[in-house]
């Protein structure tokens, strides 16, 4: 009876939601507190920066390699479960490792393993939304919910038990993620011999290139906020508690959009969603440079629903509709590697130089990113329409897209 429950529509919804919740619980803990733990183990600020940078850039290589293996095998869940178990093992190894180099090596190994999970999970979720006509936004929102919960839990744990014991919280969250990967809905498809030229052919599609440019620029426009948002607001004299509320307001707005977007399924295209995200950035970032009063910054932060969530939803809708089923994991991985690795990584370097010279006025450059992203979204709309006319009524994935 329990197995039957897990296989019906509600059970599938629970399993997919649990995957997102468990994955982003760990991500929400590690984003703010991973550097804190590394510092407690004796790594200098320079060494921490190197470890984080390697973990950030390694996805460019790791994600396509793992995704190609999943597409060749025709199934994501087993590889996701293996990676998650290895993440737990690497976490446990961190408690035993002695010496800076050993900890640094294990930290990079951990990043390598963890980076491979999300593209496979996104691919499986999109396949399930197509098959069962589920609302992608209402699945993904649980990742945002647990991300907020993680920040609160991590802060309380740090205050109660100290930075050196954060690793035990990481291990518990990683174990929960392993459970989430194990109960994940299997995305089974015929095994196929996937070649690198076949994966590379995705980059020959004009619409895919426009997607990378449009979504990549919109997501990269967050670089100054992610790297220096807290520092800038502290320099303006905004209390830390208020800063926390500003970040929370953005995530809450993101959750609301994820919950409501299904009502507009079929009425708004991927290009239009990404264009909304770019328009949000054109408004959000220059005003962030100009405003210093939290009363105005609080509603301004609600534009995070557009700059992040609408852009992400548009990208997932495009990938669901346009990437061949046999390349579903590889398409996700190429997108994640280029947008989340190359473009956001480059934008982070740009933001560092810009903030050093311009301070808060660096947000104007992020507004420029959004403007160019809007132009790329127009290119996405044009190339998608042209490719659709050329292909007729056939979908690249040979399946009806789910609701986003």
């Amino acid at each position: 009876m329990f197995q039957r429950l897990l296989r019906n529509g509600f059970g599938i919804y629970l399993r997919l939601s649990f995957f997102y919740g468990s994955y982003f619980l760990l991500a929400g803990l590690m984003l703010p507190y991973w550097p804190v733990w590394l510092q407690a183990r004796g790594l200098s600020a320079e060494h921490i920066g190197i470890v984080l940078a390697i973990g950030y850039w390694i996805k460019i290589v790791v994600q396509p390699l793992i995704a190609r293996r999943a597409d060749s095998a025709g199934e994501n869940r087993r590889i996701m479960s293996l990676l998650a178990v290895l993440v737990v093992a690497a976490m446990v190894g961190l408690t035993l490792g002695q010496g800076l180099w050993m900890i640094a090596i294990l930290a990079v190994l951990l990043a390598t393993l963890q980076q491979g999970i999300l593209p496979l999970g996104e691919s499986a979720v999109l396949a399930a939304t197509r098959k069962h006509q589920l609302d992608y936004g209402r699945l993904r929102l649980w990742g945002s919910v647990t991300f907020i919960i993680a920040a609160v839990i991590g802060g309380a744990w740090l205050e109660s038990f100290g930075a050196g014991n954060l690793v035990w919280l990481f291990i518990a969250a990683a174990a929960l993620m392993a459970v989430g990967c194990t109960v994940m809905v299997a995305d089974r498809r015929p095994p196929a011999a996937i070649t690198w030229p076949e994966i590379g052919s995705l980059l020959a599609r004009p619409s895919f290139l426009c997607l990378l440019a449009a979504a990549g620029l919109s997501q990269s426009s967050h670089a100054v906020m992610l790297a220096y948002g807290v520092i800038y607001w502290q320099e303006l004299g905004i209390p830390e508690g208020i800063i926390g509320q500003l970040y929370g307001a953005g995530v809450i707005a993101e959750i609301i959009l994820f919950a409501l977007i299904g009502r507009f399924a079929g009425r708004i295209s991927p290009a239009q969603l990404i264009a909304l995200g770019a328009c949000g950035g054109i408004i959000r970032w220059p005003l962030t440079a100009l405003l210093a009063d939290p009363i105005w910054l609080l509603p301004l932060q609600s534009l995070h629903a557009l700059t992040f969530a609408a852009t992400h939803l548009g990208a997932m809708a495009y990938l669901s509709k346009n990437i061949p089923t046999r390349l579903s994991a590889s398409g996700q991985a190429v997108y994640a590697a280029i947008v989340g690795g190359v473009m956001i990584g480059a934008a982070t370097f740009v933001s560092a130089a810009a903030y050093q010279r311009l301070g808060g006025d660096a947000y104007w450059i992020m507004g420029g990113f959004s403007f160019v992203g809007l132009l790329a979204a127009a290119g996405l709309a044009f190339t998608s329409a042209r490719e659709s006319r050329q292909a007729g009524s056939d979908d690249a994935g040979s399946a009806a897209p789910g609701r986003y």
Side-chain angles (χ1 to χ4, degrees):
M1 180 177 177
F2 181 69
Q3 290 184 344
R4 192 182 306 119
L5 175 64
L6 291 180
R7 289 173 182 160
N8 66 22
F10 183 66
I12 291 171
Y13 173 85
L14 287 178
R15 292 159 70 186
L16 297 176
S17 299
F18 184 72
F19 162 71
Y20 277 127
S22 62
Y23 182 89
F24 283 100
L25 181 69
L26 178 60
L29 287 170
M30 294 193 67
L31 183 65
Y33 301 116
W34 179 235
V36 176
W37 183 82
L38 291 174
Q39 184 181 48
R41 290 303 303 266
L43 272 69
S44 66
E46 181 181 2
H47 289 147
I48 292 172
I50 292 172
V51 168
L52 294 178
I54 293 174
Y56 197 71
W57 287 93
I58 204 167
K59 69 171 66 176
I60 300 170
V61 176
V62 169
Q63 288 180 335
L65 284 172
I66 294 175
R68 178 174 178 262
R69 180 70 186 91
D71 280 334
S72 297
E75 208 270 320
N76 294 4
R77 184 173 61 184
R78 283 177 294 179
I79 296 177
M80 292 169 60
S81 298
L82 175 61
L83 290 171
V85 169
L86 292 175
V87 166
V88 176
M91 288 279 192
V92 173
L94 286 171
T95 68
L96 306 174
Q98 298 295 328
L100 298 181
W101 282 109
M102 179 60 68
I103 293 172
I105 290 170
L106 286 171
V108 171
L109 174 63
L110 174 63
T112 302
L113 297 168
Q114 189 177 356
Q115 296 285 5
I117 294 174
L118 188 58
L120 301 188
E122 291 274 29
S123 171
V125 170
L126 291 179
T129 62
R130 290 194 301 267
K131 182 177 180 180
H132 302 283
Q133 288 298 294
L134 299 175
D135 186 334
Y136 173 84
R138 294 195 176 186
L139 297 169
R140 178 57 179 79
L141 68 84
W142 293 108
S144 302
V145 170
T146 56
F147 195 90
I148 293 179
I149 293 172
V152 175
I153 292 175
W157 184 280
L158 177 63
E159 185 176 350
S160 300
F161 303 105
N165 288 311
L166 281 168
V167 68
W168 303 109
L169 194 58
F170 298 155
I171 291 172
L176 196 62
M177 181 185 69
V179 175
C181 291
T182 302
V183 303
M184 179 72 166
V185 176
D187 175 23
R188 293 191 177 92
R189 51 204 183 276
I194 305 298
T195 64
W196 287 113
E198 189 175 9
I199 296 174
S201 69
L202 295 174
L203 298 174
R205 294 185 64 172
S207 66
F208 189 70
L209 292 176
C210 287
L211 169 76
L212 295 176
L217 285 164
S218 290
Q219 297 292 16
S220 297
S221 73
H222 296 84
V224 171
M225 174 67 72
L226 291 174
Y228 302 103
V230 172
I231 295 172
Y232 176 59
W233 283 335
Q234 286 176 333
E235 291 173 351
L236 293 178
I238 298 175
E240 292 183 0
I242 299 296
I243 292 174
Q245 293 176 28
L246 291 174
Y247 274 96
V251 180
I252 291 171
E254 168 190 322
I255 292 170
I256 292 172
L257 182 62
F258 280 141
L260 298 179
I261 193 63
R263 299 182 181 184
F264 302 94
R267 288 184 282 174
I268 183 169
S269 71
Q272 288 169 335
L273 278 167
I274 296 173
L276 279 175
C279 289
I282 292 170
I283 299 170
R284 180 185 184 186
W285 304 125
L287 288 180
T288 302
L290 294 172
L291 299 176
D293 191 334
I295 293 177
W296 296 108
L297 288 171
L298 195 64
L300 185 63
Q301 279 294 95
S302 66
L303 288 176
H304 188 72
L306 299 182
T307 57
F308 169 73
T311 301
H312 178 74
L313 288 165
M316 294 302 103
Y318 173 91
L319 293 172
S320 176
K321 295 176 181 178
N322 294 280
I323 300 300
T325 301
R326 66 197 306 270
L327 294 176
S328 58
S330 296
Q332 280 283 345
V334 171
Y335 170 82
I338 293 177
V339 172
V342 176
M343 297 186 72
I344 294 181
T348 301
F349 282 113
V350 171
S351 71
Y355 190 81
Q356 185 176 5
R357 295 183 181 183
L358 303 174
D361 285 337
Y363 281 113
W364 286 94
I365 297 176
M366 300 297 101
F369 278 28
S370 297
F371 178 75
V372 180
L374 179 60
L375 298 179
L380 174 60
F382 174 77
T383 54
S384 294
R386 186 177 63 183
E387 290 172 7
S388 179
R389 288 193 299 268
Q390 290 172 348
S393 59
D394 294 330
D395 288 324
S398 69
R403 297 169 60 200
Y404 49 82

